[in-house]
Amino acid sequence: PAGAFAGDALSRWLLTVLNVTTAPFELLYDAFVVQIAVGLLVPLLAALWPVLRGVAIPVARALSSYGLGQGQYGARLLDRLLGQVRGIPRLAALTLRNTFRRPGRVAMTQITLIVAGAIFMMVLSTSQSFNATINKIFAGFGFDVFVVFQQPQRIEEIIPLVESRPNVDRAEVWQFGSGYTRPVAAPKNVEYEIVLRGIPVDTQLFTPELVAGRNLHPEDGHALLLNQKLAGDMGVGVGDQIVLKLENYGESTWTIVGLILDLAAGPDQNSAYMHRDTLSAETNSLGRGGVVEVRGTDPSLATQLAIKKDLTDFFNSRGIGIAFSTTAAENKEQANAQFNIITIILLIMTVLIAVVGSFGLSGTLSINVYERRREIGVMRAVGASSWDVGRVFMGEGLMLGLISWLIAIPLSMVGGKLFVDTLGTVLEFPFTYTYSTESVWLWFGIVVVLSLVASWIPSRGATRISVRESLAYE
């Protein structure tokens, strides 16, 4: 029930963020069946190996060893190596040696914490890679603010007006349009929607990151850069020709010289870039443009917002209608929004895994306390305080947490690169992989807190064991 209600709440939040109408609450039959199956099978499978080992012990051996302890510590190579450690406080040495007294139990405890740590750092590295790629893509478009006019404006009049405004470094007039496209060899009824972006031949703003091919050259005529997603949908590539059908202006043939990734075109990613004058000649609009792209004197958000407001007020005061205006920061925020939702979900799952791992760590330490009651009694008998006993078990929990952190780091580096490459292939998104060093230290803080919290109850129980009852324990 808790999972059903929590899942409904999470889905409602996500759908609200995406501006999608939510459905009424319902109990999902498939999820319910899976939970029942997992609840019944996982405990049985987890208990299978220990039970098989236990029933395989001969009766004579079990009876002969009852109450005498295992007496195996020091026989393993790891025990002998840890025994050679010198120069550290006695309690620290005791903690170090006791941590690995049961290596099998330690390994089982570590698995969940290591997996949680590796996934946590992988997710944050993926998010950082996405943000770095987004920044790189938008840097290639070069604008800080762009303004869409209600009617096309004369280029030689608009440019001086915009560049005379405060905080404006450079302005370029672009031509936007839309239509339909198809490969040259495709039937006429096979069409794809396309949005067109006409850029100045001498543009200084537009320096896109190319996925394939080359950028536009000044001498290019009917040449264009096509969004890689649309190119994949159409089955075309660099060097192929496509037909553009512009409403009221007929058809024309264009050559693809490069492929780009353009997230500013929206989720459809169906954009194409060509020279403005070539597009204007096709639409009988030479010397005019419907969009002005602006680069500010600095790329800060405050400057972008100031330019946007100033240009809107300025053109409105001159009777020039503004249909739409936005900033590069707003475009990047929109591009990041959907991916951030995925990141949040994965981080929530990771934290839940870590919490489960901390429960396992607490259980392991509780078993250790139970098995070492006589040892605790001996420590208390020779003068160890409750604080000393507690520190031994708290130290064991902290050490296990730190070991899981150290092992998770290289795993996250390798796994993060593979995850980003796989995700980029699935999403058709050319990630620039960036490892998040911040995630390493953030997980360090999380695992330290979880380890100390998980160790507190077992260590508190250890401090309450009296000398009399511990020495009498068999």
Side-chain angles (χ1 to χ4, degrees):
F5 286 112
D8 180 69
L10 179 60
S11 64
R12 288 180 181 277
W13 173 71
L14 292 174
L15 293 173
T16 302
V17 171
L18 296 175
N19 199 26
V20 177
T21 304
T22 58
F25 171 79
E26 63 175 317
L27 184 64
L28 300 179
Y29 176 77
D30 292 344
F32 181 74
V33 171
V34 169
Q35 285 183 314
I36 292 296
V38 170
L40 292 176
L41 293 178
V42 170
L44 294 176
L45 293 175
L48 183 61
W49 175 244
V51 170
L52 292 177
R53 289 183 60 191
V55 299
I57 298 175
V59 176
R61 178 184 168 191
L63 293 177
S64 63
S65 61
Y66 178 75
L68 299 179
Q70 298 298 317
Q72 295 178 349
Y73 184 80
R76 295 184 298 266
L77 175 61
L78 179 61
D79 299 334
R80 294 195 297 271
L81 291 176
L82 293 176
Q84 299 300 317
V85 176
R86 297 288 186 272
I88 61 176
R90 185 171 301 173
L91 281 178
L94 183 62
T95 298
L96 179 64
R97 295 165 189 170
N98 284 338
T99 299
F100 300 98
R101 179 178 291 190
R102 300 284 189 177
R105 187 181 299 164
V106 167
M108 294 298 294
T109 305
Q110 290 287 76
I111 289 175
T112 307
L113 290 175
I114 292 171
V115 169
I119 294 177
F120 182 88
M121 289 181 270
M122 285 167 54
V123 169
L124 289 187
S125 294
T126 303
S127 178
Q128 184 166 310
S129 299
F130 183 84
N131 292 333
T133 307
I134 290 294
N135 291 334
K136 192 174 182 181
I137 290 171
F138 276 93
F141 289 95
F143 73 89
D144 292 322
V145 178
F146 79 80
V147 177
V148 181
F149 301 108
Q150 292 180 355
Q151 299 293 332
Q153 304 295 318
R154 296 191 64 83
I155 297 173
E156 67 270 15
E157 296 177 358
I158 288 296
I159 292 293
L161 289 176
V162 176
E163 291 187 340
S164 68
R165 304 308 300 169
N167 300 312
V168 174
D169 176 55
R170 179 177 174 82
E172 295 181 356
V173 173
W174 290 25
Q175 180 65 40
F176 281 20
S178 62
Y180 294 90
T181 184
R182 70 176 189 273
V184 169
K188 289 190 175 183
N189 62 344
V190 178
E191 293 183 334
Y192 301 83
E193 290 188 14
I194 189 170
V195 294
L196 308 175
R197 305 286 187 257
I199 64 174
V201 173
D202 61 345
T203 180
Q204 295 183 21
L205 302 185
F206 188 63
T207 55
E209 288 288 328
L210 298 176
V211 177
R214 63 171 176 82
N215 204 346
L216 293 171
H217 292 166
E219 65 275 9
D220 285 334
H222 283 66
L224 55 77
L225 304 176
L226 189 63
N227 192 297
Q228 61 149 8
K229 184 179 184 301
L230 179 58
D233 294 341
M234 295 175 62
V236 296
V238 175
D240 292 335
Q241 291 186 321
I242 61 174
V243 176
L244 294 184
K245 185 173 73 174
L246 307 178
E247 187 175 358
N248 301 325
Y249 297 104
E251 296 183 348
S252 55
T253 302
W254 298 71
T255 302
I256 303 170
V257 297
L259 300 179
I260 65 170
L261 178 67
D262 178 16
L263 297 180
D268 293 334
Q269 297 188 42
N270 58 347
S271 56
Y273 290 79
M274 63 276 291
H275 286 147
R276 182 191 64 207
D277 293 343
T278 308
L279 178 61
S280 297
E282 293 289 337
T283 58
N284 298 323
S285 57
L286 283 170
R288 291 176 294 168
V291 179
V292 61
E293 307 249 348
V294 180
R295 181 175 65 198
T297 52
D298 70 81
S300 67
L301 176 61
T303 300
Q304 292 182 19
L305 294 175
I307 294 173
K308 175 183 173 181
K309 184 178 186 306
D310 176 74
L311 289 180
T312 301
D313 295 342
F314 174 72
F315 285 123
N316 286 335
S317 68
R318 298 179 67 93
I320 300 175
I322 302 297
F324 177 72
S325 62
T326 188
T327 65
E330 290 171 317
N331 276 257
K332 284 190 281 188
E333 183 179 354
Q334 292 173 0
N336 286 328
Q338 292 184 344
F339 192 83
N340 286 341
I341 291 175
I342 300 175
T343 301
I344 291 172
I345 293 175
L346 292 175
L347 288 179
I348 291 174
M349 294 173 60
T350 303
V351 171
L352 292 177
I353 295 173
V355 171
V356 172
S358 67
F359 288 151
L361 177 60
S362 183
T364 295
L365 293 176
S366 296
I367 295 174
N368 289 347
V369 170
Y370 184 78
E371 291 180 341
R372 288 153 56 186
R373 292 170 69 92
R374 290 179 66 86
E375 177 184 320
I376 294 171
V378 172
M379 291 176 60
R380 299 290 295 273
V382 298
S385 65
S386 296
W387 171 240
D388 292 332
V389 174
R391 277 196 300 166
V392 169
F393 288 96
M394 291 284 284
E396 290 181 28
L398 182 59
M399 186 169 296
L400 289 173
L402 294 179
I403 291 172
S404 73
W405 172 70
L406 290 172
I407 297 175
I409 293 174
L411 292 179
S412 68
M413 291 179 177
V414 177
K417 181 66 167 63
L418 293 175
F419 183 72
V420 166
D421 290 343
T422 303
L423 190 63
T425 301
V426 172
L427 299 179
E428 298 181 349
F429 185 86
F431 280 98
T432 300
Y433 178 65
T434 306
Y435 186 73
S436 173
T437 54
E438 293 85 356
S439 68
V440 174
W441 300 111
L442 184 57
W443 182 250
F444 174 83
I446 292 174
V447 81
V448 166
V449 171
L450 288 176
S451 300
L452 292 178
V453 171
S455 307
W456 180 76
I457 294 178
S459 63
R460 185 168 177 267
T463 61
R464 294 188 170 187
I465 299 175
S466 67
V467 176
R468 181 188 60 78
E469 64 180 355
S470 61
L471 294 180
Y473 170 75
E474 292 186 358

